[in-house]
Short mmCIF file of all heavy atoms in Angstrom, two decimals:
data_model
loop_
_atom_site.label_atom_id
_atom_site.label_comp_id
_atom_site.label_asym_id
_atom_site.label_seq_id
_atom_site.Cartn_x
_atom_site.Cartn_y
_atom_site.Cartn_z
N GLN A 660 97.08 64.30 115.14
CA GLN A 660 97.67 64.31 113.79
C GLN A 660 97.80 62.90 113.21
O GLN A 660 98.59 62.67 112.30
CB GLN A 660 99.04 65.00 113.84
CG GLN A 660 98.96 66.49 114.12
CD GLN A 660 98.10 67.20 113.09
OE1 GLN A 660 98.20 66.96 111.89
NE2 GLN A 660 97.24 68.11 113.57
N MET A 661 96.97 61.97 113.71
CA MET A 661 96.99 60.60 113.19
C MET A 661 95.73 60.31 112.37
O MET A 661 94.80 61.12 112.34
CB MET A 661 97.13 59.62 114.37
CG MET A 661 98.46 59.77 115.11
SD MET A 661 98.63 58.68 116.54
CE MET A 661 98.90 57.10 115.75
N THR A 662 95.71 59.17 111.74
CA THR A 662 94.58 58.78 110.88
C THR A 662 93.37 58.41 111.73
O THR A 662 93.50 58.05 112.91
CB THR A 662 94.97 57.59 110.00
OG1 THR A 662 95.56 56.58 110.83
CG2 THR A 662 95.95 58.01 108.93
N PRO A 663 92.17 58.47 111.15
CA PRO A 663 90.96 58.10 111.89
C PRO A 663 90.95 56.60 112.24
O PRO A 663 91.62 55.79 111.59
CB PRO A 663 89.83 58.43 110.92
CG PRO A 663 90.42 59.37 109.93
CD PRO A 663 91.87 58.98 109.80
N ALA A 664 90.17 56.26 113.25
CA ALA A 664 89.90 54.86 113.55
C ALA A 664 88.75 54.41 112.64
O ALA A 664 87.86 55.20 112.32
CB ALA A 664 89.51 54.70 115.02
N ILE A 665 88.79 53.15 112.22
CA ILE A 665 87.76 52.64 111.29
C ILE A 665 86.97 51.53 111.99
O ILE A 665 87.55 50.62 112.61
CB ILE A 665 88.41 52.10 110.00
CG1 ILE A 665 89.22 53.21 109.32
CG2 ILE A 665 87.34 51.56 109.05
CD1 ILE A 665 90.00 52.74 108.10
N TRP A 666 85.64 51.63 111.88
CA TRP A 666 84.75 50.68 112.54
C TRP A 666 83.81 50.05 111.51
O TRP A 666 83.47 50.67 110.50
CB TRP A 666 83.87 51.39 113.58
CG TRP A 666 84.62 52.13 114.65
CD1 TRP A 666 85.18 53.37 114.56
CD2 TRP A 666 84.86 51.66 115.97
NE1 TRP A 666 85.76 53.71 115.75
CE2 TRP A 666 85.58 52.68 116.64
CE3 TRP A 666 84.55 50.49 116.67
CZ2 TRP A 666 85.98 52.57 117.98
CZ3 TRP A 666 84.94 50.37 118.01
CH2 TRP A 666 85.65 51.40 118.63
N ASP A 667 83.41 48.83 111.80
CA ASP A 667 82.26 48.23 111.11
C ASP A 667 81.07 48.37 112.05
O ASP A 667 81.06 47.80 113.16
CB ASP A 667 82.52 46.75 110.81
CG ASP A 667 83.29 46.56 109.51
OD1 ASP A 667 83.39 47.54 108.76
OD2 ASP A 667 83.80 45.45 109.29
N VAL A 668 80.08 49.14 111.61
CA VAL A 668 78.88 49.39 112.43
C VAL A 668 77.73 48.58 111.85
O VAL A 668 77.41 48.70 110.66
CB VAL A 668 78.54 50.89 112.46
CG1 VAL A 668 77.29 51.12 113.30
CG2 VAL A 668 79.70 51.70 113.00
N THR A 669 77.13 47.76 112.67
CA THR A 669 76.06 46.85 112.21
C THR A 669 74.77 47.10 112.98
O THR A 669 74.79 47.26 114.21
CB THR A 669 76.48 45.38 112.38
OG1 THR A 669 77.69 45.16 111.66
CG2 THR A 669 75.39 44.45 111.88
N THR A 670 73.67 47.16 112.24
CA THR A 670 72.34 47.28 112.84
C THR A 670 71.54 46.04 112.46
O THR A 670 71.42 45.71 111.27
CB THR A 670 71.61 48.54 112.35
OG1 THR A 670 72.38 49.69 112.69
CG2 THR A 670 70.23 48.64 112.97
N VAL A 671 71.00 45.36 113.46
CA VAL A 671 70.21 44.14 113.24
C VAL A 671 68.79 44.39 113.73
O VAL A 671 68.59 44.88 114.85
CB VAL A 671 70.82 42.94 114.00
CG1 VAL A 671 69.92 41.71 113.87
CG2 VAL A 671 72.21 42.64 113.48
N ASN A 672 67.80 44.06 112.90
CA ASN A 672 66.39 44.15 113.28
C ASN A 672 65.81 42.75 113.42
O ASN A 672 65.96 41.91 112.52
CB ASN A 672 65.59 44.93 112.24
CG ASN A 672 65.92 46.42 112.27
OD1 ASN A 672 66.15 46.98 113.34
ND2 ASN A 672 65.96 47.05 111.11
N ILE A 673 65.17 42.50 114.54
CA ILE A 673 64.55 41.20 114.84
C ILE A 673 63.04 41.41 114.96
O ILE A 673 62.60 42.33 115.67
CB ILE A 673 65.13 40.61 116.14
CG1 ILE A 673 66.63 40.31 115.93
CG2 ILE A 673 64.36 39.37 116.57
CD1 ILE A 673 67.33 39.87 117.20
N GLU A 674 62.26 40.55 114.27
CA GLU A 674 60.83 40.78 114.17
C GLU A 674 60.03 39.60 114.70
O GLU A 674 60.46 38.45 114.65
CB GLU A 674 60.46 41.04 112.71
CG GLU A 674 59.01 41.43 112.49
CD GLU A 674 58.67 41.62 111.02
OE1 GLU A 674 59.34 40.98 110.17
OE2 GLU A 674 57.75 42.40 110.70
N THR A 675 58.88 39.96 115.25
CA THR A 675 57.85 38.96 115.56
C THR A 675 56.51 39.63 115.34
O THR A 675 56.44 40.83 115.05
CB THR A 675 57.98 38.48 117.02
OG1 THR A 675 57.10 37.36 117.22
CG2 THR A 675 57.62 39.56 118.02
N LYS A 676 55.42 38.85 115.43
CA LYS A 676 54.09 39.42 115.26
C LYS A 676 53.24 39.05 116.47
O LYS A 676 53.43 38.00 117.09
CB LYS A 676 53.43 38.92 113.98
CG LYS A 676 54.18 39.36 112.71
CD LYS A 676 53.42 38.98 111.46
CE LYS A 676 54.18 39.38 110.20
NZ LYS A 676 54.34 40.84 110.10
N GLY A 677 52.29 39.96 116.79
CA GLY A 677 51.43 39.70 117.93
C GLY A 677 50.10 40.39 117.79
O GLY A 677 49.97 41.39 117.07
N GLN A 678 49.08 39.86 118.51
CA GLN A 678 47.74 40.45 118.50
C GLN A 678 47.70 41.62 119.48
O GLN A 678 47.74 41.44 120.71
CB GLN A 678 46.70 39.40 118.90
CG GLN A 678 46.43 38.36 117.84
CD GLN A 678 45.70 38.94 116.64
OE1 GLN A 678 44.88 39.86 116.77
NE2 GLN A 678 45.98 38.40 115.45
N ILE A 679 47.65 42.83 118.94
CA ILE A 679 47.63 44.03 119.77
C ILE A 679 46.48 44.91 119.31
O ILE A 679 46.34 45.22 118.11
CB ILE A 679 48.97 44.80 119.65
CG1 ILE A 679 50.15 43.89 120.01
CG2 ILE A 679 48.97 46.06 120.51
CD1 ILE A 679 51.49 44.47 119.70
N ASP A 680 45.63 45.30 120.26
CA ASP A 680 44.44 46.12 119.97
C ASP A 680 43.55 45.45 118.92
O ASP A 680 43.03 46.09 118.00
CB ASP A 680 44.84 47.52 119.49
CG ASP A 680 45.52 48.33 120.60
OD1 ASP A 680 45.21 48.09 121.78
OD2 ASP A 680 46.37 49.19 120.27
N GLY A 681 43.45 44.10 119.01
CA GLY A 681 42.54 43.37 118.15
C GLY A 681 43.06 43.08 116.76
O GLY A 681 42.30 42.55 115.94
N GLN A 682 44.30 43.39 116.45
CA GLN A 682 44.83 43.07 115.13
C GLN A 682 46.28 42.67 115.23
O GLN A 682 47.00 43.04 116.16
CB GLN A 682 44.67 44.27 114.19
CG GLN A 682 45.37 45.53 114.67
CD GLN A 682 45.17 46.70 113.71
OE1 GLN A 682 44.92 46.49 112.52
NE2 GLN A 682 45.31 47.92 114.21
N GLU A 683 46.72 41.86 114.26
CA GLU A 683 48.10 41.39 114.26
C GLU A 683 49.03 42.50 113.79
O GLU A 683 48.82 43.09 112.72
CB GLU A 683 48.23 40.16 113.35
CG GLU A 683 49.60 39.51 113.45
CD GLU A 683 49.69 38.24 112.62
OE1 GLU A 683 49.67 38.37 111.37
OE2 GLU A 683 49.77 37.16 113.22
N GLN A 684 50.03 42.74 114.58
CA GLN A 684 50.95 43.82 114.26
C GLN A 684 52.39 43.33 114.35
O GLN A 684 52.73 42.45 115.14
CB GLN A 684 50.75 45.01 115.19
CG GLN A 684 49.36 45.64 115.11
CD GLN A 684 49.29 46.94 115.90
OE1 GLN A 684 50.15 47.79 115.79
NE2 GLN A 684 48.22 47.08 116.68
N SER A 685 53.26 43.97 113.56
CA SER A 685 54.69 43.66 113.58
C SER A 685 55.33 44.34 114.79
O SER A 685 55.07 45.52 115.06
CB SER A 685 55.34 44.15 112.29
OG SER A 685 56.75 44.07 112.38
N VAL A 686 56.15 43.57 115.49
CA VAL A 686 56.89 44.10 116.64
C VAL A 686 58.37 43.96 116.33
O VAL A 686 58.85 42.86 116.03
CB VAL A 686 56.52 43.35 117.93
CG1 VAL A 686 57.34 43.88 119.11
CG2 VAL A 686 55.02 43.48 118.22
N LEU A 687 59.11 45.08 116.39
CA LEU A 687 60.50 45.11 115.94
C LEU A 687 61.45 45.41 117.10
O LEU A 687 61.31 46.43 117.78
CB LEU A 687 60.66 46.16 114.84
CG LEU A 687 61.84 46.00 113.89
CD1 LEU A 687 61.65 44.76 113.02
CD2 LEU A 687 61.97 47.24 113.00
N PHE A 688 62.42 44.49 117.30
CA PHE A 688 63.53 44.73 118.24
C PHE A 688 64.78 45.09 117.42
O PHE A 688 64.98 44.58 116.32
CB PHE A 688 63.81 43.47 119.06
CG PHE A 688 62.82 43.22 120.15
CD1 PHE A 688 61.61 42.57 119.87
CD2 PHE A 688 63.08 43.58 121.46
CE1 PHE A 688 60.69 42.31 120.86
CE2 PHE A 688 62.17 43.33 122.46
CZ PHE A 688 60.97 42.70 122.17
N ARG A 689 65.64 45.95 117.99
CA ARG A 689 66.84 46.39 117.26
C ARG A 689 68.07 46.25 118.14
O ARG A 689 68.04 46.54 119.34
CB ARG A 689 66.68 47.83 116.79
CG ARG A 689 67.88 48.37 116.03
CD ARG A 689 67.54 49.69 115.37
NE ARG A 689 66.51 49.49 114.34
CZ ARG A 689 65.73 50.44 113.86
NH1 ARG A 689 65.85 51.67 114.34
NH2 ARG A 689 64.84 50.16 112.93
N ALA A 690 69.16 45.80 117.50
CA ALA A 690 70.46 45.73 118.17
C ALA A 690 71.48 46.47 117.33
O ALA A 690 71.48 46.40 116.10
CB ALA A 690 70.89 44.28 118.35
N ASN A 691 72.37 47.20 118.01
CA ASN A 691 73.46 47.90 117.33
C ASN A 691 74.79 47.35 117.84
O ASN A 691 74.98 47.16 119.04
CB ASN A 691 73.39 49.40 117.60
CG ASN A 691 72.16 50.04 116.97
OD1 ASN A 691 71.96 49.92 115.77
ND2 ASN A 691 71.34 50.69 117.78
N GLY A 692 75.68 47.09 116.91
CA GLY A 692 77.00 46.59 117.27
C GLY A 692 78.07 47.35 116.53
O GLY A 692 77.84 47.91 115.45
N ARG A 693 79.27 47.37 117.13
CA ARG A 693 80.38 48.08 116.49
C ARG A 693 81.66 47.30 116.72
O ARG A 693 81.95 46.89 117.85
CB ARG A 693 80.49 49.49 117.08
CG ARG A 693 81.43 50.40 116.31
CD ARG A 693 81.28 51.84 116.76
NE ARG A 693 81.88 52.09 118.05
CZ ARG A 693 82.44 53.24 118.42
NH1 ARG A 693 82.47 54.25 117.57
NH2 ARG A 693 82.93 53.40 119.62
N LYS A 694 82.42 47.10 115.65
CA LYS A 694 83.67 46.35 115.74
C LYS A 694 84.81 47.18 115.18
O LYS A 694 84.72 47.73 114.08
CB LYS A 694 83.54 45.03 114.96
CG LYS A 694 84.76 44.13 115.07
CD LYS A 694 84.53 42.83 114.30
CE LYS A 694 85.74 41.92 114.41
NZ LYS A 694 85.53 40.65 113.66
N LEU A 695 85.89 47.29 115.93
CA LEU A 695 87.04 48.07 115.50
C LEU A 695 87.82 47.32 114.43
O LEU A 695 88.27 46.20 114.64
CB LEU A 695 87.95 48.38 116.70
CG LEU A 695 89.15 49.29 116.44
CD1 LEU A 695 88.69 50.69 116.04
CD2 LEU A 695 90.04 49.37 117.68
N VAL A 696 88.00 47.97 113.26
CA VAL A 696 88.73 47.37 112.14
C VAL A 696 90.17 47.88 112.12
O VAL A 696 91.11 47.12 111.88
CB VAL A 696 88.02 47.67 110.80
CG1 VAL A 696 88.82 47.11 109.63
CG2 VAL A 696 86.61 47.12 110.80
N PHE A 697 90.34 49.19 112.36
CA PHE A 697 91.68 49.79 112.38
C PHE A 697 91.70 50.84 113.49
O PHE A 697 90.84 51.72 113.53
CB PHE A 697 92.00 50.42 111.03
CG PHE A 697 93.30 51.19 111.00
CD1 PHE A 697 94.52 50.53 111.21
CD2 PHE A 697 93.31 52.55 110.80
CE1 PHE A 697 95.71 51.25 111.19
CE2 PHE A 697 94.50 53.26 110.77
CZ PHE A 697 95.70 52.61 110.99
N ASP A 698 92.68 50.73 114.39
CA ASP A 698 92.67 51.60 115.57
C ASP A 698 93.08 53.04 115.29
O ASP A 698 92.65 53.95 115.98
CB ASP A 698 93.54 51.01 116.68
CG ASP A 698 94.97 50.72 116.23
OD1 ASP A 698 95.30 51.01 115.06
OD2 ASP A 698 95.74 50.21 117.06
N GLY A 699 93.89 53.32 114.28
CA GLY A 699 94.27 54.69 113.94
C GLY A 699 94.76 55.47 115.16
O GLY A 699 95.63 55.01 115.90
N PHE A 700 94.19 56.67 115.35
CA PHE A 700 94.64 57.54 116.44
C PHE A 700 94.44 56.91 117.82
O PHE A 700 95.09 57.31 118.79
CB PHE A 700 93.91 58.88 116.37
CG PHE A 700 92.48 58.81 116.86
CD1 PHE A 700 92.15 59.11 118.17
CD2 PHE A 700 91.46 58.43 116.00
CE1 PHE A 700 90.84 59.06 118.62
CE2 PHE A 700 90.15 58.36 116.44
CZ PHE A 700 89.84 58.67 117.75
N MET A 701 93.54 55.92 117.93
CA MET A 701 93.27 55.29 119.22
C MET A 701 94.50 54.55 119.76
O MET A 701 94.59 54.28 120.95
CB MET A 701 92.09 54.33 119.11
CG MET A 701 90.76 55.01 118.87
SD MET A 701 89.40 53.85 118.58
CE MET A 701 89.39 52.93 120.10
N LEU A 702 95.44 54.24 118.88
CA LEU A 702 96.67 53.59 119.31
C LEU A 702 97.41 54.43 120.34
O LEU A 702 98.04 53.90 121.25
CB LEU A 702 97.57 53.35 118.09
CG LEU A 702 98.94 52.72 118.35
CD1 LEU A 702 98.78 51.27 118.80
CD2 LEU A 702 99.81 52.79 117.10
N VAL A 703 97.30 55.75 120.22
CA VAL A 703 98.03 56.67 121.10
C VAL A 703 97.12 57.39 122.08
O VAL A 703 97.51 57.65 123.22
CB VAL A 703 98.80 57.71 120.25
CG1 VAL A 703 99.40 58.80 121.12
CG2 VAL A 703 99.89 57.03 119.44
N SER A 704 95.91 57.70 121.67
CA SER A 704 95.05 58.62 122.43
C SER A 704 94.68 58.14 123.83
O SER A 704 94.34 58.93 124.70
CB SER A 704 93.76 58.89 121.65
OG SER A 704 92.97 57.71 121.60
N GLY A 705 94.72 56.85 124.04
CA GLY A 705 94.26 56.33 125.33
C GLY A 705 92.80 55.95 125.31
O GLY A 705 92.28 55.37 126.27
N ILE A 706 92.09 56.25 124.21
CA ILE A 706 90.69 55.84 124.06
C ILE A 706 90.67 54.36 123.70
O ILE A 706 91.36 53.92 122.78
CB ILE A 706 89.99 56.67 122.97
CG1 ILE A 706 90.00 58.15 123.34
CG2 ILE A 706 88.56 56.19 122.75
CD1 ILE A 706 89.47 59.05 122.25
N THR A 707 89.88 53.60 124.41
CA THR A 707 89.80 52.16 124.17
C THR A 707 88.39 51.77 123.73
O THR A 707 87.45 52.57 123.82
CB THR A 707 90.17 51.37 125.43
OG1 THR A 707 89.29 51.76 126.50
CG2 THR A 707 91.60 51.66 125.85
N VAL A 708 88.27 50.54 123.26
CA VAL A 708 86.95 50.04 122.87
C VAL A 708 86.08 49.94 124.10
O VAL A 708 86.46 49.35 125.11
CB VAL A 708 87.07 48.66 122.19
CG1 VAL A 708 85.69 48.11 121.86
CG2 VAL A 708 87.93 48.76 120.94
N SER A 709 84.92 50.56 124.04
CA SER A 709 84.03 50.61 125.20
C SER A 709 83.30 49.28 125.37
O SER A 709 83.03 48.55 124.41
CB SER A 709 83.01 51.74 125.02
OG SER A 709 82.01 51.66 125.98
N GLY A 710 82.96 48.99 126.63
CA GLY A 710 82.18 47.79 126.92
C GLY A 710 80.79 47.86 126.32
O GLY A 710 80.13 46.84 126.13
N SER A 711 80.35 49.08 125.99
CA SER A 711 79.02 49.24 125.38
C SER A 711 79.05 49.00 123.87
O SER A 711 78.01 48.97 123.23
CB SER A 711 78.48 50.65 125.67
OG SER A 711 79.34 51.63 125.13
N ASP A 712 80.26 48.86 123.31
CA ASP A 712 80.38 48.54 121.88
C ASP A 712 80.14 47.05 121.70
O ASP A 712 81.06 46.23 121.77
CB ASP A 712 81.77 48.92 121.36
CG ASP A 712 81.97 50.42 121.30
OD1 ASP A 712 80.99 51.14 121.01
OD2 ASP A 712 83.10 50.88 121.55
N GLN A 713 78.90 46.67 121.45
CA GLN A 713 78.51 45.27 121.39
C GLN A 713 79.06 44.59 120.13
O GLN A 713 79.00 45.14 119.04
CB GLN A 713 76.98 45.18 121.39
CG GLN A 713 76.44 43.78 121.41
CD GLN A 713 74.93 43.74 121.55
OE1 GLN A 713 74.38 42.72 121.95
NE2 GLN A 713 74.23 44.81 121.22
N ILE A 714 79.64 43.43 120.32
CA ILE A 714 80.10 42.62 119.19
C ILE A 714 79.01 41.58 118.92
O ILE A 714 78.71 40.73 119.77
CB ILE A 714 81.44 41.93 119.50
CG1 ILE A 714 82.50 43.00 119.78
CG2 ILE A 714 81.86 41.05 118.33
CD1 ILE A 714 83.84 42.42 120.17
N LEU A 715 78.40 41.65 117.75
CA LEU A 715 77.25 40.81 117.44
C LEU A 715 77.68 39.41 117.00
O LEU A 715 78.72 39.24 116.34
CB LEU A 715 76.42 41.46 116.34
CG LEU A 715 75.90 42.87 116.66
CD1 LEU A 715 75.16 43.44 115.45
CD2 LEU A 715 74.99 42.86 117.88
N PRO A 716 76.90 38.40 117.34
CA PRO A 716 77.21 37.03 116.88
C PRO A 716 76.88 36.87 115.39
O PRO A 716 76.32 37.76 114.75
CB PRO A 716 76.28 36.17 117.75
CG PRO A 716 75.11 37.06 118.04
CD PRO A 716 75.68 38.46 118.17
N ASP A 717 77.23 35.73 114.82
CA ASP A 717 76.92 35.45 113.40
C ASP A 717 75.41 35.33 113.23
O ASP A 717 74.75 34.54 113.92
CB ASP A 717 77.60 34.17 112.95
CG ASP A 717 79.12 34.32 112.91
OD1 ASP A 717 79.58 35.46 112.71
OD2 ASP A 717 79.82 33.31 113.10
N LEU A 718 74.86 36.11 112.31
CA LEU A 718 73.42 36.10 112.05
C LEU A 718 73.20 36.15 110.55
O LEU A 718 74.07 36.58 109.79
CB LEU A 718 72.76 37.33 112.70
CG LEU A 718 72.85 37.44 114.23
CD1 LEU A 718 72.46 38.84 114.68
CD2 LEU A 718 71.97 36.40 114.91
N SER A 719 72.02 35.72 110.13
CA SER A 719 71.67 35.78 108.70
C SER A 719 70.23 36.24 108.57
O SER A 719 69.39 35.93 109.44
CB SER A 719 71.86 34.42 108.03
OG SER A 719 71.05 33.43 108.67
N VAL A 720 69.94 36.99 107.53
CA VAL A 720 68.59 37.48 107.31
C VAL A 720 67.64 36.29 107.12
O VAL A 720 67.92 35.37 106.34
CB VAL A 720 68.54 38.42 106.08
CG1 VAL A 720 67.10 38.85 105.80
CG2 VAL A 720 69.43 39.62 106.30
N GLY A 721 66.55 36.30 107.83
CA GLY A 721 65.58 35.20 107.78
C GLY A 721 65.86 34.12 108.81
O GLY A 721 64.99 33.27 109.06
N GLY A 722 67.05 34.15 109.40
CA GLY A 722 67.38 33.14 110.40
C GLY A 722 66.65 33.36 111.71
O GLY A 722 66.35 34.49 112.09
N LYS A 723 66.37 32.25 112.39
CA LYS A 723 65.66 32.34 113.67
C LYS A 723 66.62 32.71 114.79
O LYS A 723 67.81 32.37 114.74
CB LYS A 723 64.98 31.01 113.98
CG LYS A 723 63.80 30.67 113.09
CD LYS A 723 63.12 29.38 113.53
CE LYS A 723 62.50 29.53 114.92
NZ LYS A 723 61.75 28.31 115.31
N VAL A 724 66.08 33.39 115.81
CA VAL A 724 66.81 33.65 117.05
C VAL A 724 65.88 33.28 118.20
O VAL A 724 64.66 33.29 118.07
CB VAL A 724 67.25 35.12 117.17
CG1 VAL A 724 68.34 35.46 116.16
CG2 VAL A 724 66.08 36.07 117.01
N TRP A 725 66.50 32.90 119.33
CA TRP A 725 65.72 32.43 120.46
C TRP A 725 65.87 33.39 121.65
O TRP A 725 67.00 33.79 122.00
CB TRP A 725 66.19 31.03 120.87
CG TRP A 725 65.75 29.99 119.90
CD1 TRP A 725 64.67 29.17 120.00
CD2 TRP A 725 66.38 29.66 118.66
NE1 TRP A 725 64.56 28.34 118.91
CE2 TRP A 725 65.61 28.61 118.06
CE3 TRP A 725 67.50 30.13 117.97
CZ2 TRP A 725 65.93 28.04 116.83
CZ3 TRP A 725 67.82 29.57 116.74
CH2 TRP A 725 67.05 28.55 116.19
N PRO A 726 64.75 33.78 122.27
CA PRO A 726 64.82 34.72 123.40
C PRO A 726 65.43 34.05 124.63
O PRO A 726 65.04 32.94 125.01
CB PRO A 726 63.36 35.10 123.62
CG PRO A 726 62.56 33.97 123.08
CD PRO A 726 63.35 33.41 121.92
N VAL A 727 66.39 34.73 125.22
CA VAL A 727 66.95 34.32 126.50
C VAL A 727 66.12 34.94 127.62
O VAL A 727 65.78 34.30 128.60
CB VAL A 727 68.43 34.75 126.61
CG1 VAL A 727 69.00 34.40 127.99
CG2 VAL A 727 69.25 34.11 125.50
N THR A 728 65.82 36.21 127.43
CA THR A 728 64.93 36.90 128.37
C THR A 728 64.33 38.11 127.68
O THR A 728 64.97 38.74 126.84
CB THR A 728 65.69 37.35 129.64
OG1 THR A 728 64.80 38.03 130.52
CG2 THR A 728 66.84 38.29 129.30
#
Side-chain angles (χ1 to χ4, degrees):
Q660 292 303 316
M661 296 177 73
T662 49
I665 302 175
W666 303 80
D667 275 347
V668 179
T669 302
T670 301
V671 175
N672 289 323
I673 295 174
E674 186 182 27
T675 189
K676 296 186 182 296
Q678 287 291 327
I679 304 170
D680 293 331
Q682 59 181 336
E683 187 176 69
Q684 298 189 47
S685 170
V686 178
L687 202 67
F688 284 83
R689 179 168 295 160
N691 293 304
R693 191 168 74 148
K694 184 178 180 181
L695 185 64
V696 177
F697 174 64
D698 55 1
F700 76 94
M701 292 174 60
L702 178 68
V703 171
S704 68
I706 299 174
T707 57
V708 177
S709 170
S711 60
D712 290 326
Q713 183 175 201
I714 299 177
L715 302 177
D717 292 332
L718 298 166
S719 59
V720 176
K723 290 184 64 176
V724 291
W725 286 262
V727 176
T728 179

